[in-house]
Amino acid sequence: MHLNFSKRRIFPSVAAVLGLGLTLTAGVYAYNHWQENQPTAANFDPVVRALWEQHSGGEQGKRLCLSLPSYPAPDVGTKTREPLAWSMDFYTDAPESAPRQEQLRKLDALSQAGLLEKLTLTLNGRPAIRYRLSESGWLKSGPNRNASCFEYGQPHYLGIDQITPHPPGSQAGQSQPFYEVTARIGLDATSAESAWVRNPALLAAFPEIEKNSAGQMFKVQLVRQNKSWVECRHLVRDGQGPCGRAPTVYSRDYKDAYVDATQKDGGRAEYEAMLSRLAALRIRKMEALKAFAPPTVDEIRRLLAEMHGHGKAGQWPGTCLALPGRGNLPVDKSLFEGESDHYAVAIFPSKGRSGWDPVARKTIPYLELLERLGVMQRRAGQDIQLEDGRRQKADIFELTAGYATAVDPKRPDCLPLGVASVDIVDAQLINDDPYDTEGDAFRYKLRIKYANPPEWAKNKDLLGQWDELRGALERGRACQGEFHFDRKTRHTFGGGGSCWWAFDSLDGG
């Protein structure tokens, strides 16, 4: 059988197919282009999400927290605001105003959720309750050391609720249609981080939890410009734009302003070259870091324990109970300066003092307490010489024989408390910036305790009356800070941290 296809029949068919393909491609392109221009939630959603993240910090923005109800002022409170050290005391035999009742209801809710500890005690001969921060509450207090709120999450973009069209001319000065988009931000109900805040007592005492969980509305105005959906206010000049008159003028960032300034002097090329050099340097530093392993949380925990003297005695940050003479317990004259290993301090009885003088308010009562406990002895009316050559009558306080040998040989005002144990409450890596050429960083909270004090510190009579000693052994110290980590040396650099007594100490440090 002989088949004969003429060119007339073949070529028109191919041309028809190609033409149909081009027509379909053009149709698909036109349809996609038409879809992109439609004012739909699908088109608006990525734009609105990006605008919210830009203006508010987005997923890394402000965190939600429950504020500690500090007012009305407690009947008795501590001056320190250090975590684990402060407390709020309320007499239970006192009449309660409506604001006080509301305050106590919130404090009770926080204690039921485990954020506060609630204790009953007798204070100044009256029944009282005390609220103080728990370890769990400290953990939820965020990185700010003096924060008085408990973080339970951060706002998340939850989606678009409504789109309202505004045709041209619906507002003064409006030149083209725009769309007012109402979106919602709020607490992610599935977040494990915020599970604790759903405690029924907290939900009843803090109505803002439900409000933040339900979400809050925010609005943006979008207009189609240069094949993109953009915010109207970014197109405003001198109060006039395609969406009408507006009170604000689009404010560009520092880089744009700098480029404008350098363009006037022909310096844009130099500016761009500088940016390129900085980018290249950043890349080289980041590549150099890859030669060394990043830290692990376990490594950070071991490093923190070593830094804070775990299993050691006599090491920073303070394994001793400080005696008056330095810091927050000043005296009129310290007599143990220099190489002396003999503790002695002088108080001038005839010296005029104001009601705010810390020597009169704190130091003298403390020395007299230690004298009654047999820790100190006083030599009254001693004649001593001052730095300017004058003579002065003074009461000299010294340690009694049983305690004079208990001091640190290098610090006679320090009574060592024994070997320290370090308990890491929280340690987390925070190197979340891919452009941070400083390397890795970590944040921590920990406690230092003294489970095996020396024999003199186990005396029950002392512990019953010496609040500083009892507080130091029961509560220990708290520490918090943030450091950078050197991958090469495997040690810290930069940053800082601090430690304080985890009770209302006279020494305060």
Side-chain angles (χ1 to χ4, degrees), residues 294-354:
T296 65
V297 173
D298 285 342
E299 183 177 13
I300 294 301
R301 295 172 74 92
R302 289 193 298 270
L303 180 60
L304 286 169
E306 179 185 349
M307 289 169 57
H308 292 81
H310 180 70
K312 300 177 182 178
Q315 182 169 321
W316 183 91
T319 57
C320 69
L321 194 64
L323 297 171
R326 290 193 179 104
N328 294 313
L329 289 170
V331 295
D332 292 329
K333 184 175 177 59
S334 293
L335 305 176
F336 57 87
E337 303 296 341
E339 299 298 322
S340 173
D341 61 356
H342 176 74
Y343 175 83
V345 294
I347 299 295
F348 303 152
S350 61
K351 181 178 179 179
R353 304 182 191 277
S354 69

Short mmCIF file of all heavy atoms in Angstrom, two decimals, residues 294-354:
data_model
loop_
_atom_site.label_atom_id
_atom_site.label_comp_id
_atom_site.label_asym_id
_atom_site.label_seq_id
_atom_site.Cartn_x
_atom_site.Cartn_y
_atom_site.Cartn_z
N PRO A 294 29.70 24.02 66.34
CA PRO A 294 28.94 24.92 67.20
C PRO A 294 28.75 24.31 68.58
O PRO A 294 28.86 23.09 68.75
CB PRO A 294 27.59 25.06 66.47
CG PRO A 294 27.47 23.80 65.69
CD PRO A 294 28.86 23.42 65.28
N PRO A 295 28.48 25.13 69.58
CA PRO A 295 28.29 24.58 70.93
C PRO A 295 26.97 23.83 71.04
O PRO A 295 26.02 24.09 70.29
CB PRO A 295 28.27 25.83 71.81
CG PRO A 295 27.74 26.90 70.91
CD PRO A 295 28.28 26.59 69.55
N THR A 296 26.93 22.90 71.95
CA THR A 296 25.68 22.22 72.29
C THR A 296 25.19 22.74 73.63
O THR A 296 25.96 23.34 74.40
CB THR A 296 25.88 20.70 72.37
OG1 THR A 296 26.78 20.42 73.47
CG2 THR A 296 26.47 20.15 71.08
N VAL A 297 23.94 22.51 73.93
CA VAL A 297 23.39 22.96 75.21
C VAL A 297 24.11 22.26 76.36
O VAL A 297 24.40 22.87 77.40
CB VAL A 297 21.87 22.69 75.27
CG1 VAL A 297 21.33 22.98 76.67
CG2 VAL A 297 21.15 23.55 74.25
N ASP A 298 24.44 20.98 76.19
CA ASP A 298 25.16 20.26 77.25
C ASP A 298 26.53 20.88 77.49
O ASP A 298 26.98 20.99 78.64
CB ASP A 298 25.32 18.79 76.87
CG ASP A 298 24.02 18.00 77.03
OD1 ASP A 298 23.12 18.51 77.74
OD2 ASP A 298 23.91 16.92 76.45
N GLU A 299 27.22 21.28 76.42
CA GLU A 299 28.52 21.92 76.58
C GLU A 299 28.39 23.25 77.32
O GLU A 299 29.21 23.58 78.18
CB GLU A 299 29.16 22.14 75.21
CG GLU A 299 30.56 22.75 75.27
CD GLU A 299 31.19 22.90 73.90
OE1 GLU A 299 30.47 22.76 72.89
OE2 GLU A 299 32.41 23.14 73.84
N ILE A 300 27.35 24.01 76.99
CA ILE A 300 27.11 25.29 77.66
C ILE A 300 26.83 25.07 79.14
O ILE A 300 27.32 25.80 80.01
CB ILE A 300 25.95 26.03 76.98
CG1 ILE A 300 26.31 26.44 75.55
CG2 ILE A 300 25.54 27.25 77.80
CD1 ILE A 300 27.52 27.33 75.45
N ARG A 301 26.06 24.05 79.46
CA ARG A 301 25.73 23.76 80.86
C ARG A 301 26.99 23.40 81.64
O ARG A 301 27.18 23.83 82.79
CB ARG A 301 24.70 22.64 80.94
CG ARG A 301 23.35 23.02 80.35
CD ARG A 301 22.41 21.81 80.28
NE ARG A 301 21.90 21.48 81.60
CZ ARG A 301 20.78 21.95 82.12
NH1 ARG A 301 20.03 22.79 81.42
NH2 ARG A 301 20.39 21.59 83.32
N ARG A 302 27.88 22.59 81.03
CA ARG A 302 29.14 22.24 81.72
C ARG A 302 30.00 23.48 81.91
O ARG A 302 30.63 23.66 82.97
CB ARG A 302 29.89 21.19 80.90
CG ARG A 302 29.24 19.81 80.91
CD ARG A 302 30.19 18.76 80.37
NE ARG A 302 30.55 19.01 78.98
CZ ARG A 302 29.89 18.54 77.93
NH1 ARG A 302 28.81 17.80 78.11
NH2 ARG A 302 30.28 18.80 76.70
N LEU A 303 30.04 24.35 80.91
CA LEU A 303 30.83 25.57 81.01
C LEU A 303 30.30 26.48 82.11
O LEU A 303 31.06 27.06 82.89
CB LEU A 303 30.82 26.29 79.66
CG LEU A 303 31.60 27.60 79.55
CD1 LEU A 303 33.08 27.38 79.86
CD2 LEU A 303 31.45 28.20 78.16
N LEU A 304 28.99 26.62 82.20
CA LEU A 304 28.38 27.45 83.24
C LEU A 304 28.68 26.92 84.63
O LEU A 304 28.98 27.69 85.56
CB LEU A 304 26.87 27.53 83.02
CG LEU A 304 26.40 28.41 81.85
CD1 LEU A 304 24.91 28.18 81.58
CD2 LEU A 304 26.66 29.88 82.14
N ALA A 305 28.59 25.60 84.79
CA ALA A 305 28.88 25.00 86.10
C ALA A 305 30.32 25.29 86.51
O ALA A 305 30.61 25.63 87.66
CB ALA A 305 28.62 23.50 86.05
N GLU A 306 31.24 25.18 85.55
CA GLU A 306 32.65 25.46 85.85
C GLU A 306 32.86 26.93 86.18
O GLU A 306 33.57 27.28 87.13
CB GLU A 306 33.50 25.06 84.64
CG GLU A 306 34.99 25.34 84.83
CD GLU A 306 35.79 25.06 83.57
OE1 GLU A 306 35.24 24.47 82.62
OE2 GLU A 306 36.97 25.45 83.53
N MET A 307 32.23 27.81 85.40
CA MET A 307 32.37 29.25 85.62
C MET A 307 31.89 29.66 87.01
O MET A 307 32.42 30.60 87.61
CB MET A 307 31.58 30.02 84.56
CG MET A 307 32.16 29.99 83.17
SD MET A 307 30.99 30.65 81.95
CE MET A 307 30.68 32.30 82.59
N HIS A 308 30.89 28.98 87.52
CA HIS A 308 30.27 29.38 88.79
C HIS A 308 30.70 28.51 89.97
O HIS A 308 30.05 28.50 91.01
CB HIS A 308 28.75 29.40 88.65
CG HIS A 308 28.26 30.48 87.73
ND1 HIS A 308 28.25 30.35 86.36
CD2 HIS A 308 27.78 31.72 87.99
CE1 HIS A 308 27.78 31.46 85.82
NE2 HIS A 308 27.49 32.31 86.78
N GLY A 309 31.81 27.78 89.79
CA GLY A 309 32.45 27.12 90.92
C GLY A 309 31.80 25.85 91.40
O GLY A 309 31.89 25.51 92.59
N HIS A 310 31.14 25.11 90.51
CA HIS A 310 30.50 23.87 90.93
C HIS A 310 31.53 22.89 91.49
O HIS A 310 32.55 22.62 90.88
CB HIS A 310 29.78 23.21 89.75
CG HIS A 310 29.09 21.93 90.11
ND1 HIS A 310 27.96 21.90 90.90
CD2 HIS A 310 29.39 20.65 89.82
CE1 HIS A 310 27.57 20.64 91.06
NE2 HIS A 310 28.42 19.86 90.41
N GLY A 311 31.26 22.39 92.71
CA GLY A 311 32.16 21.42 93.34
C GLY A 311 33.42 22.02 93.92
O GLY A 311 34.33 21.30 94.31
N LYS A 312 33.46 23.35 94.00
CA LYS A 312 34.66 24.01 94.52
C LYS A 312 34.28 24.92 95.68
O LYS A 312 33.14 25.37 95.80
CB LYS A 312 35.35 24.81 93.42
CG LYS A 312 35.79 23.98 92.22
CD LYS A 312 36.40 24.84 91.14
CE LYS A 312 36.79 24.00 89.93
NZ LYS A 312 37.34 24.83 88.85
N ALA A 313 35.27 25.23 96.49
CA ALA A 313 35.07 26.15 97.61
C ALA A 313 35.91 27.39 97.38
O ALA A 313 36.98 27.34 96.78
CB ALA A 313 35.48 25.48 98.93
N GLY A 314 35.43 28.53 97.87
CA GLY A 314 36.20 29.75 97.81
C GLY A 314 36.37 30.33 96.43
O GLY A 314 37.35 31.01 96.15
N GLN A 315 35.42 30.11 95.50
CA GLN A 315 35.54 30.63 94.15
C GLN A 315 34.40 31.58 93.84
O GLN A 315 33.30 31.44 94.36
CB GLN A 315 35.55 29.47 93.13
CG GLN A 315 35.72 29.93 91.69
CD GLN A 315 35.99 28.77 90.75
OE1 GLN A 315 36.71 27.85 91.11
NE2 GLN A 315 35.43 28.82 89.56
N TRP A 316 34.69 32.56 92.97
CA TRP A 316 33.64 33.47 92.50
C TRP A 316 32.49 32.62 91.99
O TRP A 316 32.71 31.53 91.45
CB TRP A 316 34.19 34.34 91.38
CG TRP A 316 33.22 35.36 90.88
CD1 TRP A 316 33.08 36.64 91.33
CD2 TRP A 316 32.23 35.18 89.86
NE1 TRP A 316 32.06 37.26 90.66
CE2 TRP A 316 31.53 36.39 89.74
CE3 TRP A 316 31.86 34.12 89.04
CZ2 TRP A 316 30.49 36.57 88.85
CZ3 TRP A 316 30.83 34.29 88.14
CH2 TRP A 316 30.15 35.51 88.04
N PRO A 317 31.27 33.08 92.13
CA PRO A 317 30.81 34.40 92.54
C PRO A 317 30.31 34.44 93.98
O PRO A 317 29.13 34.66 94.23
CB PRO A 317 29.68 34.68 91.56
CG PRO A 317 29.08 33.32 91.32
CD PRO A 317 30.19 32.33 91.49
N GLY A 318 31.16 34.25 94.90
CA GLY A 318 30.82 34.44 96.30
C GLY A 318 30.34 33.20 97.00
O GLY A 318 29.17 32.87 96.94
N THR A 319 31.25 32.49 97.63
CA THR A 319 30.86 31.32 98.41
C THR A 319 30.94 31.64 99.90
O THR A 319 31.12 30.74 100.71
CB THR A 319 31.78 30.13 98.10
OG1 THR A 319 33.12 30.50 98.35
CG2 THR A 319 31.63 29.72 96.65
N CYS A 320 30.82 32.92 100.23
CA CYS A 320 30.95 33.29 101.64
C CYS A 320 29.84 34.24 102.05
O CYS A 320 29.22 34.91 101.24
CB CYS A 320 32.31 33.92 101.91
SG CYS A 320 32.55 35.53 101.16
N LEU A 321 29.63 34.27 103.35
CA LEU A 321 28.71 35.21 103.96
C LEU A 321 29.52 36.44 104.36
O LEU A 321 30.45 36.35 105.17
CB LEU A 321 28.06 34.56 105.18
CG LEU A 321 26.84 35.24 105.78
CD1 LEU A 321 25.69 35.24 104.78
CD2 LEU A 321 26.42 34.52 107.05
N ALA A 322 29.19 37.58 103.76
CA ALA A 322 29.98 38.78 103.98
C ALA A 322 29.64 39.44 105.31
O ALA A 322 28.47 39.51 105.70
CB ALA A 322 29.78 39.77 102.85
N LEU A 323 30.66 39.91 106.01
CA LEU A 323 30.50 40.65 107.26
C LEU A 323 30.57 42.14 106.95
O LEU A 323 31.07 42.55 105.91
CB LEU A 323 31.59 40.25 108.24
CG LEU A 323 31.59 38.78 108.68
CD1 LEU A 323 32.85 38.46 109.49
CD2 LEU A 323 30.33 38.47 109.50
N PRO A 324 30.05 42.99 107.86
CA PRO A 324 30.09 44.43 107.61
C PRO A 324 31.51 44.95 107.37
O PRO A 324 32.48 44.43 107.93
CB PRO A 324 29.50 45.02 108.90
CG PRO A 324 28.61 43.94 109.43
CD PRO A 324 29.31 42.66 109.10
N GLY A 325 31.59 45.95 106.51
CA GLY A 325 32.89 46.55 106.22
C GLY A 325 33.05 46.92 104.77
O GLY A 325 33.84 47.78 104.41
N ARG A 326 32.28 46.26 103.89
CA ARG A 326 32.34 46.57 102.46
C ARG A 326 30.93 46.57 101.88
O ARG A 326 29.99 46.07 102.47
CB ARG A 326 33.18 45.53 101.71
CG ARG A 326 34.67 45.57 101.99
CD ARG A 326 35.42 44.72 100.97
NE ARG A 326 36.86 44.73 101.18
CZ ARG A 326 37.54 43.73 101.71
NH1 ARG A 326 36.90 42.65 102.11
NH2 ARG A 326 38.84 43.81 101.86
N GLY A 327 30.78 47.13 100.69
CA GLY A 327 29.54 47.03 99.94
C GLY A 327 28.36 47.67 100.62
O GLY A 327 28.40 48.84 101.03
N ASN A 328 27.27 46.89 100.76
CA ASN A 328 26.01 47.43 101.28
C ASN A 328 25.93 47.46 102.79
O ASN A 328 24.88 47.83 103.34
CB ASN A 328 24.86 46.59 100.73
CG ASN A 328 24.71 46.73 99.22
OD1 ASN A 328 24.73 47.84 98.69
ND2 ASN A 328 24.57 45.61 98.53
N LEU A 329 26.97 47.05 103.47
CA LEU A 329 27.02 47.13 104.93
C LEU A 329 28.25 47.93 105.34
O LEU A 329 29.23 47.40 105.87
CB LEU A 329 27.06 45.72 105.53
CG LEU A 329 25.77 44.91 105.43
CD1 LEU A 329 26.02 43.46 105.84
CD2 LEU A 329 24.68 45.53 106.31
N PRO A 330 28.21 49.25 105.11
CA PRO A 330 29.39 50.08 105.41
C PRO A 330 29.58 50.29 106.91
O PRO A 330 28.64 50.11 107.71
CB PRO A 330 29.07 51.40 104.72
CG PRO A 330 27.57 51.47 104.74
CD PRO A 330 27.10 50.04 104.57
N VAL A 331 30.78 50.64 107.31
CA VAL A 331 31.11 50.98 108.70
C VAL A 331 31.80 52.33 108.70
O VAL A 331 32.13 52.88 107.64
CB VAL A 331 32.01 49.90 109.33
CG1 VAL A 331 31.27 48.58 109.45
CG2 VAL A 331 33.29 49.72 108.54
N ASP A 332 32.04 52.88 109.88
CA ASP A 332 32.74 54.17 109.94
C ASP A 332 34.21 54.01 109.56
O ASP A 332 34.78 54.90 108.94
CB ASP A 332 32.61 54.78 111.34
CG ASP A 332 31.17 55.20 111.64
OD1 ASP A 332 30.45 55.57 110.69
OD2 ASP A 332 30.76 55.13 112.82
N LYS A 333 34.79 52.87 109.92
CA LYS A 333 36.19 52.63 109.52
C LYS A 333 36.46 51.13 109.57
O LYS A 333 36.15 50.46 110.56
CB LYS A 333 37.17 53.36 110.44
CG LYS A 333 38.63 53.20 110.02
CD LYS A 333 39.54 54.04 110.89
CE LYS A 333 41.01 53.84 110.52
NZ LYS A 333 41.31 54.17 109.10
N SER A 334 37.01 50.60 108.47
CA SER A 334 37.45 49.21 108.44
C SER A 334 38.87 49.13 108.96
O SER A 334 39.72 49.93 108.58
CB SER A 334 37.40 48.66 107.00
OG SER A 334 36.07 48.57 106.55
N LEU A 335 39.13 48.15 109.84
CA LEU A 335 40.46 48.00 110.43
C LEU A 335 41.16 46.74 109.94
O LEU A 335 42.13 46.30 110.55
CB LEU A 335 40.34 47.97 111.96
CG LEU A 335 39.62 49.17 112.59
CD1 LEU A 335 39.48 48.99 114.09
CD2 LEU A 335 40.37 50.47 112.27
N PHE A 336 40.64 46.15 108.83
CA PHE A 336 41.26 44.91 108.34
C PHE A 336 41.79 45.09 106.92
O PHE A 336 41.94 44.13 106.17
CB PHE A 336 40.25 43.76 108.36
CG PHE A 336 38.99 44.02 107.56
CD1 PHE A 336 38.93 43.72 106.20
CD2 PHE A 336 37.87 44.53 108.17
CE1 PHE A 336 37.77 43.95 105.48
CE2 PHE A 336 36.70 44.76 107.45
CZ PHE A 336 36.65 44.47 106.10
N GLU A 337 42.09 46.32 106.53
CA GLU A 337 42.60 46.56 105.19
C GLU A 337 44.04 46.06 105.07
O GLU A 337 44.70 45.76 106.07
CB GLU A 337 42.53 48.05 104.85
CG GLU A 337 41.13 48.65 104.93
CD GLU A 337 40.17 48.04 103.91
OE1 GLU A 337 40.65 47.44 102.93
OE2 GLU A 337 38.95 48.16 104.11
N GLY A 338 44.55 46.02 103.85
CA GLY A 338 45.93 45.60 103.62
C GLY A 338 46.10 44.10 103.79
O GLY A 338 45.27 43.30 103.38
N GLU A 339 47.20 43.71 104.42
CA GLU A 339 47.53 42.29 104.57
C GLU A 339 46.98 41.67 105.85
O GLU A 339 47.19 40.50 106.11
CB GLU A 339 49.06 42.13 104.57
CG GLU A 339 49.73 42.60 103.28
CD GLU A 339 49.27 41.80 102.08
OE1 GLU A 339 49.07 40.57 102.23
OE2 GLU A 339 49.11 42.38 101.00
N SER A 340 46.23 42.46 106.62
CA SER A 340 45.73 41.95 107.89
C SER A 340 44.71 40.84 107.68
O SER A 340 43.85 40.92 106.80
CB SER A 340 45.07 43.09 108.69
OG SER A 340 44.44 42.57 109.85
N ASP A 341 44.84 39.75 108.45
CA ASP A 341 43.86 38.67 108.40
C ASP A 341 42.95 38.69 109.62
O ASP A 341 42.23 37.73 109.88
CB ASP A 341 44.56 37.31 108.28
CG ASP A 341 45.47 37.03 109.48
OD1 ASP A 341 45.61 37.92 110.35
OD2 ASP A 341 46.03 35.92 109.54
N HIS A 342 43.00 39.80 110.36
CA HIS A 342 42.20 39.94 111.58
C HIS A 342 41.02 40.87 111.29
O HIS A 342 41.20 42.03 110.94
CB HIS A 342 43.06 40.52 112.71
CG HIS A 342 42.29 40.79 113.97
ND1 HIS A 342 41.86 39.78 114.81
CD2 HIS A 342 41.85 41.95 114.53
CE1 HIS A 342 41.21 40.30 115.82
NE2 HIS A 342 41.19 41.62 115.67
N TYR A 343 39.80 40.33 111.45
CA TYR A 343 38.62 41.15 111.17
C TYR A 343 38.34 42.09 112.33
O TYR A 343 38.24 41.66 113.49
CB TYR A 343 37.38 40.27 110.94
CG TYR A 343 36.12 41.07 110.76
CD1 TYR A 343 35.78 41.61 109.52
CD2 TYR A 343 35.26 41.30 111.83
CE1 TYR A 343 34.63 42.35 109.35
CE2 TYR A 343 34.09 42.04 111.67
CZ TYR A 343 33.80 42.57 110.42
OH TYR A 343 32.66 43.32 110.27
N ALA A 344 38.18 43.37 112.02
CA ALA A 344 37.81 44.37 113.01
C ALA A 344 37.27 45.60 112.28
O ALA A 344 37.81 46.02 111.25
CB ALA A 344 39.00 44.77 113.88
N VAL A 345 36.17 46.16 112.82
CA VAL A 345 35.58 47.37 112.24
C VAL A 345 35.26 48.34 113.37
O VAL A 345 35.05 47.93 114.52
CB VAL A 345 34.30 47.07 111.44
CG1 VAL A 345 34.62 46.23 110.21
CG2 VAL A 345 33.25 46.37 112.31
N ALA A 346 35.25 49.64 113.05
CA ALA A 346 35.02 50.68 114.05
C ALA A 346 33.73 51.43 113.76
O ALA A 346 33.43 51.78 112.61
CB ALA A 346 36.19 51.65 114.06
N ILE A 347 32.95 51.67 114.84
CA ILE A 347 31.74 52.49 114.78
C ILE A 347 31.94 53.66 115.73
O ILE A 347 32.38 53.48 116.87
CB ILE A 347 30.50 51.68 115.21
CG1 ILE A 347 30.28 50.48 114.26
CG2 ILE A 347 29.27 52.57 115.25
CD1 ILE A 347 29.94 50.84 112.84
N PHE A 348 31.61 54.87 115.25
CA PHE A 348 31.80 56.07 116.07
C PHE A 348 30.48 56.42 116.77
O PHE A 348 29.55 56.94 116.14
CB PHE A 348 32.25 57.24 115.21
CG PHE A 348 33.51 56.98 114.42
CD1 PHE A 348 33.74 57.63 113.21
CD2 PHE A 348 34.48 56.09 114.91
CE1 PHE A 348 34.91 57.40 112.51
CE2 PHE A 348 35.65 55.86 114.20
CZ PHE A 348 35.86 56.51 112.99
N PRO A 349 30.35 56.13 118.06
CA PRO A 349 29.07 56.36 118.77
C PRO A 349 28.63 57.81 118.80
O PRO A 349 27.43 58.10 118.82
CB PRO A 349 29.35 55.85 120.18
CG PRO A 349 30.54 54.96 120.06
CD PRO A 349 31.34 55.52 118.94
N SER A 350 29.58 58.73 118.80
CA SER A 350 29.23 60.15 118.94
C SER A 350 28.94 60.82 117.59
O SER A 350 28.63 62.01 117.55
CB SER A 350 30.39 60.89 119.63
OG SER A 350 31.58 60.79 118.85
N LYS A 351 29.04 60.07 116.52
CA LYS A 351 28.84 60.66 115.20
C LYS A 351 27.36 60.94 114.96
O LYS A 351 26.49 60.10 115.23
CB LYS A 351 29.36 59.70 114.12
CG LYS A 351 29.22 60.25 112.71
CD LYS A 351 29.81 59.27 111.68
CE LYS A 351 29.64 59.81 110.27
NZ LYS A 351 30.22 58.90 109.26
N GLY A 352 27.05 62.17 114.50
CA GLY A 352 25.68 62.50 114.16
C GLY A 352 25.24 61.78 112.87
O GLY A 352 26.00 61.73 111.90
N ARG A 353 24.03 61.22 112.88
CA ARG A 353 23.59 60.44 111.72
C ARG A 353 22.15 60.82 111.34
O ARG A 353 21.32 61.09 112.21
CB ARG A 353 23.64 58.93 112.04
CG ARG A 353 25.02 58.45 112.48
CD ARG A 353 25.00 56.95 112.72
NE ARG A 353 26.21 56.49 113.38
CZ ARG A 353 27.36 56.22 112.75
NH1 ARG A 353 27.43 56.37 111.44
NH2 ARG A 353 28.43 55.82 113.43
N SER A 354 21.89 60.77 110.04
CA SER A 354 20.54 61.01 109.56
C SER A 354 19.76 59.69 109.62
O SER A 354 20.33 58.61 109.80
CB SER A 354 20.57 61.52 108.11
OG SER A 354 21.01 60.49 107.22
#
